[in-house]
Amino acid sequence: LRRRASGSVIHLNNTKSPSPTMSSSEVGTPDAKRQKTMPMNGNGHAHQNGSATLNGEVCGSTARLMADRQLLSSQSLPTTRTPTVFKTVQLPDHLRQKVLVTGGAGFVGSHLVDRLMCEGHEVTVLDNFFTGQKKNIEHWLHHPNFSLIVHDVTEPIRIEVDQIYHLACPASPPHYQYNPVKTIKTSTIGTLHMLGLAKRVKARILLTSTSEIYGDPQVHPQPESYWGNVNTIGPRACYDEGKRVAETMMYAYKHQNNVDVRVARIFNTFGPRMNPNDGRVVSNFIIQCCQNKDLTIYGEGHQTRSFQYVSDLVNGLTSLMNGSYDLPVNLGNPEEFSIKNFALKIKEMTKSASEVKFLPATQDDPTQRQPDITTAKQQLEWEPKVSVVQGLKHTIDYFQNVLKESGEIAPTGPDASKPKA
């Protein structure tokens, strides 16, 4: 500032030099002031792409989100329990079914869910997690076609479905004997609720029954026409008789209420996702051999069993559900083993140092079990494709990974016990 003698003030250098692109007459005009606030490019022109850049980033982010969503809706996510990535298909609305799987977080149920999801159906799993495990289905939790309802089938539920696979019930002797009254309720009241649901929404319902309805059979192999030999008051009766009553209810609803029913009588099944603490023959023998522990056989080991791999069972279940045959069907592998020879086979395959240890026999343990699958062959065009040895290789690999993850596992004995996680 320089003050004149008159006392007035004049301002010096209060403006910047004119821009090379402006004439001296343009300096200080409103347009020029606005222009001076805008960044200049190399040609002296103001940039207009600030908002365009932001919009581009938003659009790019949206596109990535849409691509991620598209990917997640077309496959499962790999997990420790299920590292395999399953691809799903997009079905048109008139072909896509709404399918309810009770007990869908269990061993067999989770494999059935995999099949249904890969086929493009909308799948709802209903499970109370007594024996089922969330990690069996966690690879589907993100998928838009998958829903999980934590619920007990002994309580009623309302849901809109086209098909019901009713698997809910503990299946290993130690687990179903832990709470025999609850086991009976699951097979009877639970089945009654599912039949009521099927009646209301006009859904087809498939019950997974069991070879245990034949009891300790006096006919060998067992055809569907055999009525069985069951001790109604023994330790296995809560499961055996519960399933027999469930079959009776299925056909009562069919004849009285025209409910569309299917019944599968499942023989011993094995494969990945078996609970290592379920006390069943396959899981116990593999866990014992992989840890070089004694191979425990209850009785002399002469009793026989037939073992099918889980993928064959799933094929049979879906064929039965989607076929027209509505009488009971045996689903099992006729390849029969004595328990002793089966134990020695697993010991050989695992190269284990385990020794066989014979313990007292359990009450009402069937002496022989082998399915007659003539009906399945004729009516469903179904028979097992995976040999027992092939299935054991997959199952042994699975349990070896489980042991690496969890450390030592104590096999479950024949006595009643609560399922472990």
Side-chain angles (χ1 to χ4, degrees):
L1 298 177
R2 187 172 70 237
R3 188 175 298 273
R4 289 184 177 179
S6 62
S8 61
V9 177
I10 62 172
H11 296 269
L12 300 178
N13 300 324
N14 63 331
T15 59
K16 294 182 180 180
S17 301
S19 166
T21 60
M22 297 182 186
S23 65
S24 58
S25 63
E26 291 176 320
V27 177
T29 64
D31 288 341
K33 290 178 181 178
R34 283 196 298 269
Q35 190 170 356
K36 286 191 291 182
T37 64
M38 301 179 67
M40 311 298 291
N41 62 22
N43 297 321
H45 299 295
H47 284 296
Q48 302 285 338
N49 64 351
S51 60
T53 300
L54 179 59
N55 289 336
E57 291 175 353
V58 172
C59 291
S61 178
T62 301
R64 286 192 296 272
L65 288 173
M66 294 295 291
D68 289 344
R69 181 172 181 176
Q70 181 85 18
L71 178 64
L72 291 174
S73 64
S74 67
Q75 66 176 49
S76 67
L77 289 179
T79 64
T80 303
R81 177 59 59 95
T82 309
T84 302
V85 173
F86 297 100
K87 299 292 185 179
T88 60
V89 299
Q90 286 281 353
L91 285 179
D93 290 346
H94 70 284
L95 294 178
R96 187 170 58 253
Q97 300 269 6
K98 295 179 180 178
V99 185
L100 174 65
V101 182
T102 71
F107 158 50
V108 173
S110 63
H111 286 279
L112 175 61
V113 167
D114 289 345
R115 175 65 56 81
L116 296 170
M117 288 293 296
C118 289
E119 291 177 350
H121 301 297
E122 293 182 19
V123 180
T124 299
V125 165
L126 188 151
D127 207 299
N128 69 350
F129 294 116
F130 177 65
T131 57
Q133 297 180 317
K134 192 173 183 179
K135 53 191 171 185
N136 286 340
I137 53 171
E138 64 180 344
H139 53 293
W140 291 119
L141 294 177
H142 70 284
H143 201 286
N145 284 358
F146 181 85
S147 299
L148 170 64
I149 301 175
V150 181
H151 185 83
D152 194 315
V153 292
T154 61
E155 300 293 334
I157 188 170
R158 289 183 176 271
I159 184 175
E160 296 298 323
V161 293
D162 302 307
Q163 294 182 341
I164 302 169
Y165 287 88
H166 181 35
L167 281 70
C169 191
S172 77
H175 293 167
Y176 66 63
Q177 292 175 29
Y178 173 75
N179 189 342
V181 173
K182 184 60 182 291
T183 298
I184 295 170
K185 285 182 176 180
T186 300
S187 291
T188 55
I189 297 174
T191 302
L192 193 66
H193 286 153
M194 289 302 108
L195 282 165
L197 174 62
K199 174 187 172 184
R200 183 178 68 82
V201 301
K202 301 187 186 312
R204 179 176 292 179
I205 178 172
L206 183 152
L207 168 72
T208 54
S209 186
T210 172
S211 61
E212 295 295 326
I213 65 116
Y214 299 124
D216 188 5
Q218 298 174 337
V219 173
H220 192 73
Q222 296 82 55
E224 290 86 354
S225 58
Y226 179 54
W227 290 357
N229 176 38
V230 178
N231 177 0
T232 61
I233 59 173
R236 291 173 172 261
C238 62
Y239 182 66
D240 302 359
E241 292 299 303
K243 288 293 189 179
R244 287 164 71 95
V245 172
E247 287 194 15
T248 301
M249 289 193 296
M250 292 285 284
Y251 289 100
Y253 266 78
K254 167 183 162 58
H255 297 307
Q256 182 173 328
N257 303 113
N258 295 316
V259 174
D260 197 4
V261 303
R262 303 288 186 270
V263 173
R265 292 176 179 167
I266 300 174
F267 285 67
N268 292 66
T269 305
F270 70 99
R273 298 186 200 149
M274 291 184 78
N275 189 323
N277 300 113
D278 66 8
R280 288 191 261 201
V281 169
V282 176
S283 52
N284 262 9
F285 285 170
I286 294 177
I287 289 296
Q288 289 168 336
C289 283
C290 288
Q291 298 178 102
N292 293 315
K293 296 183 176 182
D294 287 341
L295 275 167
T296 52
I297 294 177
Y298 300 95
E300 297 180 354
H302 300 315
Q303 64 269 41
T304 67
R305 296 291 184 273
S306 299
F307 302 95
Q308 70 178 328
Y309 191 62
V310 65
S311 62
D312 284 328
L313 173 58
V314 169
N315 289 339
L317 292 175
T318 55
S319 295
L320 178 59
M321 173 64 91
N322 296 303
S324 60
Y325 190 75
D326 62 2
L327 292 177
V329 179
N330 288 338
L331 295 178
N333 189 335
E335 193 173 355
E336 188 179 15
F337 291 84
S338 73
I339 294 299
K340 179 180 178 181
N341 288 341
F342 192 68
L344 294 176
K345 184 65 178 178
I346 292 177
K347 177 181 177 180
E348 174 191 338
M349 293 181 66
T350 55
K351 298 179 173 58
S352 175
S354 297
E355 296 294 332
V356 176
K357 184 177 182 180
F358 294 96
L359 299 174
T362 58
Q363 184 180 347
D364 296 336
D365 190 24
T367 56
Q368 53 188 1
R369 187 63 54 75
Q370 183 186 28
D372 180 336
I373 61 170
T374 302
T375 300
K377 287 180 177 179
Q378 292 177 347
Q379 300 295 333
L380 309 180
E381 298 182 349
W382 175 91
E383 61 182 321
K385 302 297 183 185
V386 181
S387 71
V388 172
V389 171
Q390 287 176 311
L392 282 175
K393 288 179 181 177
H394 297 311
T395 311
I396 289 169
D397 288 344
Y398 168 77
F399 276 116
Q400 287 174 336
N401 288 330
V402 170
L403 281 166
K404 289 178 184 177
E405 179 183 343
S406 59
E408 182 180 9
I409 296 176
T412 301
D415 297 331
S417 64
K418 187 176 182 178
K420 300 175 184 177

